[in-house]
Amino acid sequence: MNLLDSKIRDGEFKLLLPYKTPFVLGHDVAGIVTKVGPKANKFKVGDEVYARPADFHIGTFAEYIAVDERDLAPKPKNLTMEEAASIPLVGLTAWQALVEKMNIQKGQNIFIQAGSGGVGTFAIQLAKHLGAFVATTTSAANSDLVKSLGADVVIDYKTQDFETILSDYDFVLNSQDTKTLEKSLNILKPNGKVVSISGPPDVEFANEVGLSWFVKIIMRLLSFGIKEKVKKLHLNYNFLFMRAEGKQLNEITALIEAGKIRPIVDKIFPFEQTNEALAYVESGRAKGKVVIKVK
Ligand SMILES: NC(=O)c1ccc[n+]([C@@H]2O[C@H](COP(=O)([O-])OP(=O)(O)OC[C@H]3O[C@@H](n4cnc5c(N)ncnc54)[C@H](OP(=O)(O)O)[C@@H]3O)[C@@H](O)[C@H]2O)c1
């Protein structure tokens, strides 16, 4: 389960992902290969796999799905199917933010917002594996969880203001609202970088994914304010919308099998309660991931 499913259901992503109804939601899957296409040669019937199927090929809230083999990876052997299903979208998001966009190096420091969420629980562990110093926000009840994942500084966002505690950071992984994004700029050192996964999308992103000139104009307008602030402060801003990528998922499998990263699964719902599961995710209180299990 991902918030992306409810956002697409509510029509929030129409500009970026113009799905035609009816279609099946669901962006993460773990399961067993039951059939392979004539040109597919990386997997065979019976293999245990997991994936974030590519945009426009989603639909994992189902018993079967056809997935391009380029989006698949072997399921980590040390995980259950439910644990494996919790990984792809958030794992790839963290990978594409920390490794691709930030190229984070040993000894650098990063502020990861909402460390107890789906993305946060993975990103903290990946950042620690890469040798970074990690600060995060969560409420007091989840403080032990994020510490157990390796967070070095834990800020209770309900009683403390991260802006007055953190300074001179290399990176911010922004996953919250505009106000939090703007405050985050003030904790960065000159030339520091914010990667935002909660918007606003920018023109560079529109170019990367080849969106139309019309959408580019909208994205320029949406990100105008933050781009101006970032320029004044000599910082960098990137919007990230994660993409399916079997090769990166392979690397994630290796990290999980080596015990460097573990899944954090909050609740598992039966398939019949898919709507309830999505409502729980929408509550914004999930500790790690929410999974649905198909019998
Ligand atoms: N662009 C992309 O490619 C991409 C990919 C993945 C996700 N996203 C987006 O990133 C955002 C986060 O996703 P997610 O799946 O990680 O969310 P999530 O799992 O639903 O996050 C829930 C967690 O956030 C914490 N939280 C809530 N409000 C907070 C605040 N103000 N400060 C700090 N922590 C807070 C909660 O802790 P408490 O219960 O302690 O409050 C809870 O543990 C969503 O908007 C999602 O759509 C974007």
Side-chain angles (χ1 to χ4, degrees):
M1 286 277 156
N2 290 284
L3 271 170
L4 182 58
D5 296 307
S6 55
K7 290 183 181 178
I8 290 178
R9 180 203 59 200
D10 293 346
E12 274 183 47
F13 271 75
K14 272 186 189 164
L15 205 60
L16 190 58
L17 298 169
Y19 282 105
K20 286 209 176 77
T21 53
F23 65 97
V24 180
L25 285 167
H27 287 79
D28 274 323
V29 62
I32 299 169
V33 177
T34 56
K35 228 179 186 180
V36 287
K39 288 184 188 158
N41 54 25
K42 289 193 189 134
F43 299 94
K44 57 182 192 317
V45 171
D47 283 353
E48 296 196 331
V49 293
Y50 69 155
R52 187 293 201 196
D55 293 324
F56 301 105
H57 298 275
I58 62 165
T60 59
F61 295 170
E63 291 163 289
Y64 294 91
I65 181 169
V67 180
D68 191 309
E69 65 174 356
R70 284 170 300 192
D71 301 341
L72 279 179
K75 164 189 159 289
K77 289 190 184 64
N78 54 340
L79 299 192
T80 62
M81 279 293 175
E82 294 80 11
E83 289 172 329
S86 77
I87 297 288
L89 189 140
V90 293
L92 289 168
T93 304
W95 187 278
Q96 288 163 20
L98 273 57
V99 177
E100 279 188 353
K101 296 260 184 231
M102 297 174 186
N103 186 21
I104 196 165
Q105 299 295 315
K106 204 171 169 198
Q108 290 187 304
N109 49 14
I110 178 169
F111 169 43
I112 296 171
Q113 298 163 3
S116 53
V119 175
T121 48
F122 195 101
I124 291 173
Q125 297 181 81
L126 181 59
K128 290 311 296 177
H129 168 67
L130 296 169
F133 181 88
V134 179
T136 193
T137 42
T138 186
S139 65
N142 293 325
S143 172
D144 287 344
L145 168 67
V146 295
K147 276 186 198 151
S148 78
L149 300 173
D152 300 290
V153 177
V154 180
I155 298 165
D156 176 356
Y157 73 88
K158 292 191 172 160
T159 59
Q160 296 173 293
D161 184 356
F162 71 82
E163 200 183 354
T164 62
I165 299 172
L166 307 176
S167 60
D168 252 11
Y169 270 63
D170 297 291
F171 300 106
V172 172
L173 178 58
N174 179 75
S175 59
Q176 303 299 307
D177 58 10
T178 312
K179 200 171 152 214
T180 309
L181 171 61
E182 288 181 357
K183 279 162 63 122
S184 292
L185 302 183
N186 299 327
I187 71 145
L188 283 165
K189 56 172 73 153
N191 226 11
K193 184 184 249 191
V194 191
V195 174
S196 177
I197 57 171
S198 53
D202 54 5
V203 160
E204 290 76 8
F205 163 71
N207 285 333
E208 258 170 47
V209 296
L211 297 173
S212 70
W213 64 268
F214 174 68
V215 179
K216 276 183 201 164
I217 289 174
I218 295 175
M219 292 191 173
R220 193 181 293 281
L221 292 173
L222 287 173
S223 58
F224 182 77
I226 194 74
K227 288 280 199 188
E228 285 297 297
K229 291 194 173 86
V230 157
K231 204 157 71 184
K232 258 192 211 138
L233 294 166
H234 305 287
L235 302 171
N236 302 288
Y237 174 84
N238 275 153
F239 171 72
L240 168 72
F241 185 72
M242 64 79 56
R243 60 177 200 285
E245 184 63 71
K247 278 190 198 141
Q248 291 175 349
L249 204 49
N250 256 299
E251 302 206 44
I252 289 172
T253 295
L255 287 182
I256 293 172
E257 288 182 345
K260 306 284 184 203
I261 292 178
R262 62 186 166 97
I264 304 297
V265 176
D266 180 349
K267 279 184 200 273
I268 301 173
F269 289 78
F271 187 39
E272 297 70 28
Q273 287 179 21
T274 299
N275 285 333
E276 286 81 353
L278 204 48
Y280 181 62
V281 171
E282 288 172 88
S283 76
R285 295 284 77 79
K287 294 170 213 24
K289 294 294 297 178
V290 177
V291 176
I292 54 170
K293 183 181 168 80
V294 179
K295 282 223 177 82

